[in-house]
């Protein structure tokens, strides 16, 4: 493999581990954790939401450090933090250690998920990082597909505590070497004096930053809401429980297929085109479910998954294309603050909407998708105006 391919594979594997052992952990372990600790399942999810809030708060500082010193050591440190948080979860005998474990994992999430990986690639490859960003999302797109069955098997055979200990060990034995030994040091050189932004140019970035932050926030909200409630929604639409689970499982393959499309075809175009296509996919599919119900449920899942897959890439490539690689890490951290808060609120907020409106709750998520499209159109108009 070329050096660049090796970096993509190493980051793709470590990101699969990072997402699968943290973000996707509650889907399998929340119920047994709550049962054994004598807590409500909602308490476990509340602790998980607190981890997302911690990651949001840390994001800008982590991004600034990656801009200055590269991402290798930050990613390596995240492996240690993830391991510590998982050990604390495994040792939990009540609410205190449960919350402590998730708060530590939140620190790791602020250091070691996509934003840090994307910033590391921007430091290494500059504007040419779009391909590598797509590459690691292709690999890490299988995080739930790979890690959910492993977590489920570990829980069934050895208990949820040992499942946490096992994932902690994997972070130390696999994630840490991948991040520390196979990721080279690299930061972008300072911009030439002639390319340094004036105060007026710097002030003009507030509108595209605000628009991107809005787009990322609403799309992460919808993505997290669907991840938490998609099987339930499909049952309300008329599918049996087994059919709903089978249909919901198509999200992963749809994400990967869409990322392959981005890698092979859409990469020739500006990432704004990919993002616009992606944000309308969910509303189109939702319209079918709301009007015709079960017959179009699978199409809805495929469209939602495809859009979500491309949006994950757009979160890395849009800031790179619009602002360039200089200061990329800090911008990523700032842009993801509202998105992480949206993620933290999404499961509860959308559950309340479904209880009240059933499948018509998709009107709300569709409206968010259309609002994101409007924001992207305004962003495109602004970019064209600046170019002229």
């Amino acid at each position: 493999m070329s050096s660049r391919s090796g970096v993509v594979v190493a980051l793709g594997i470590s990101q699969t581990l990072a997402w699968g052992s943290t973000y996707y952990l509650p889907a399998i372990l929340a119920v047994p954790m709550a049962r054994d600790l004598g807590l409500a399942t909602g308490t476990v999810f509340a602790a998980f939401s607190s981890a997302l809030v911690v990651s949001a708060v840390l994001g800008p500082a982590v991004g600034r450090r990656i801009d200055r010193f590269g991402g290798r050591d930050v990613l390596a440190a995240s492996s240690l933090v993830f391991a510590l948080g998982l050990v604390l979860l495994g040792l939990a005998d009540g609410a205190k250690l449960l919350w402590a474990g998730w708060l530590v994992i939140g620190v790791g999430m602020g250091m070691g998920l996509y934003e840090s990986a994307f910033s590391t690639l921007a430091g290494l490859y500059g504007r040419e990082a779009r391909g590598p960003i797509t590459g690691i999302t292709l690999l890490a797109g299988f995080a739930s597909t790979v890690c959910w069955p492993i977590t489920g098997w570990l829980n069934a055979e050895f208990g949820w505590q040992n499942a946490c200990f096992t994932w902690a060990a994997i972070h130390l034995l696999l994630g840490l070497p991948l991040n520390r030994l196979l990721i080279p040091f690299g930061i972008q050189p300072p911009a030439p004096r002639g390319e340094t932004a004036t105060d007026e140019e710097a002030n003009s970035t507030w509108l595209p930053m605000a628009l991107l932050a809005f787009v990322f926030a609403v799309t992460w909200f919808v993505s997290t809401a669907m991840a938490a409630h998609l099987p339930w929604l499909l049952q309300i639409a008329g599918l049996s429980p087994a059919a709903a689970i089978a249909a919901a499982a198509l999200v992963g393959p749809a994400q990967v297929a869409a990322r392959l499309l981005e890698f092979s075809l859409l990469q020739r175009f500006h990432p704004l085109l990919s993002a616009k296509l992606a944000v309308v996919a969910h509303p189109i599919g939702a319209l079918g479910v709301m009007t015709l119900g079960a017959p179009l449920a699978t199409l809805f899942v495929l469209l939602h998954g495809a859009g979500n897959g491309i949006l994950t890439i757009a979160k890395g490539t849009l800031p790179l294309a619009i602002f360039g690689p200089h200061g990329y890490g800090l911008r990523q951290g700032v842009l993801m603050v509202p998105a992480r808060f949206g993620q933290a609120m999404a499961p509860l907020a959308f559950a309340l909407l479904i209880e009240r409106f059933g499948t018509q709750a998709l009107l709300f998520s569709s409206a968010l998708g259309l609002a994101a499209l409007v924001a992207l159109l305004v962003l495109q108009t602004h970019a064209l105006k600046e170019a002229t």
Side-chain angles (χ1 to χ4, degrees):
M1 290 187 297
S2 69
S3 174
R4 184 172 298 192
S5 297
V7 170
V8 169
V9 171
L11 274 176
I13 294 172
S14 66
Q15 283 297 296
T16 300
L17 172 60
W19 284 92
S21 63
T22 61
Y23 185 82
Y24 291 112
L25 201 68
I28 306 298
L29 297 187
V31 171
M33 280 180 177
R35 181 189 62 236
D36 292 351
L37 298 178
L39 303 171
T41 304
T43 301
V44 179
F45 280 104
F48 170 63
S49 294
S50 73
L52 295 173
V53 172
V54 169
S55 71
V57 173
L58 290 179
V62 171
R64 185 184 294 111
R65 180 171 180 81
I66 292 175
D67 286 337
R68 295 182 62 187
F69 303 107
R72 180 184 63 188
D73 292 339
V74 172
L75 290 169
S78 75
S79 297
L80 299 174
V81 177
F82 281 139
L84 174 59
L86 287 162
V87 168
L88 289 174
L89 281 187
L91 294 173
D93 56 0
K96 289 183 179 180
L97 274 182
L98 174 77
W99 281 87
W102 277 115
L103 289 173
V104 172
I105 288 173
V107 175
M109 294 169 80
M111 300 168 63
L113 293 184
Y114 274 149
E115 296 77 52
S116 295
F118 293 165
S119 300
T120 300
L121 291 172
L124 289 170
Y125 306 122
R127 289 189 179 273
E128 297 181 3
R130 181 176 180 180
I133 286 172
T134 303
I136 66 169
T137 62
L138 274 172
L139 294 173
F142 291 101
S144 60
T145 305
V146 172
C147 296
W148 272 345
I150 295 174
T151 302
W153 178 79
L154 289 170
N155 175 56
E157 295 294 324
F158 307 106
W160 63 267
Q161 295 94 336
N162 286 318
C164 293
F165 293 146
T166 300
W167 282 123
I170 295 174
H171 274 287
L172 297 177
L173 298 175
L174 179 62
L176 179 59
L178 285 173
N179 286 326
R180 184 61 182 84
L181 302 179
L182 297 184
I183 308 302
F185 171 80
I187 57 174
Q188 287 297 295
R193 177 174 295 182
E195 296 181 13
T196 302
T198 64
D199 289 342
E200 182 179 352
E201 290 170 335
N203 290 335
S204 71
T205 64
W206 75 266
L207 178 59
M209 282 289 289
L211 291 169
L212 280 179
F214 173 77
V215 171
F216 294 168
V218 298
T219 53
W220 269 116
F221 179 94
V222 173
S223 173
T224 305
M226 292 300 104
H229 301 302
L230 186 55
W232 181 22
L233 265 175
L234 296 178
Q235 289 180 58
I236 296 173
L239 295 183
S240 68
I245 293 172
L250 295 174
V251 168
Q255 288 183 150
V256 173
R259 288 168 184 170
L260 286 171
L261 177 65
E262 160 71 19
F263 190 75
S264 60
L265 178 62
L266 293 177
Q267 195 166 192
R268 303 173 189 176
F269 304 96
H270 194 284
L272 269 171
L273 174 62
S274 301
K276 287 185 291 185
L277 293 173
V279 296
V280 299
H282 176 91
I284 292 172
L287 177 63
V289 170
M290 288 186 290
T291 54
L292 297 178
L296 292 185
T298 299
L299 178 62
F300 166 58
V301 172
L302 292 173
L303 285 171
H304 168 74
N308 193 55
I310 292 178
L311 282 167
T312 301
I313 299 171
K315 291 175 179 72
T317 57
L318 271 176
L320 183 65
I322 293 171
F323 303 111
H326 298 285
Y328 177 91
L330 175 59
R331 286 195 184 94
Q332 273 287 81
V334 171
L335 288 170
M336 289 307 295
V337 169
R340 292 294 187 211
F341 278 100
Q343 281 185 296
M345 295 186 299
L348 175 59
F350 213 76
L352 296 175
L353 287 170
I354 294 173
E355 289 177 355
R356 179 76 180 273
F357 302 109
T359 58
Q360 298 304 306
L362 291 171
L363 284 171
F364 179 75
S365 59
S366 298
L368 291 179
L370 295 176
L373 175 62
V374 172
L376 290 171
L377 291 172
V378 174
L379 180 62
Q380 183 176 29
T381 301
H382 176 81
L384 290 173
K385 181 179 178 181
E386 289 294 310
T388 58

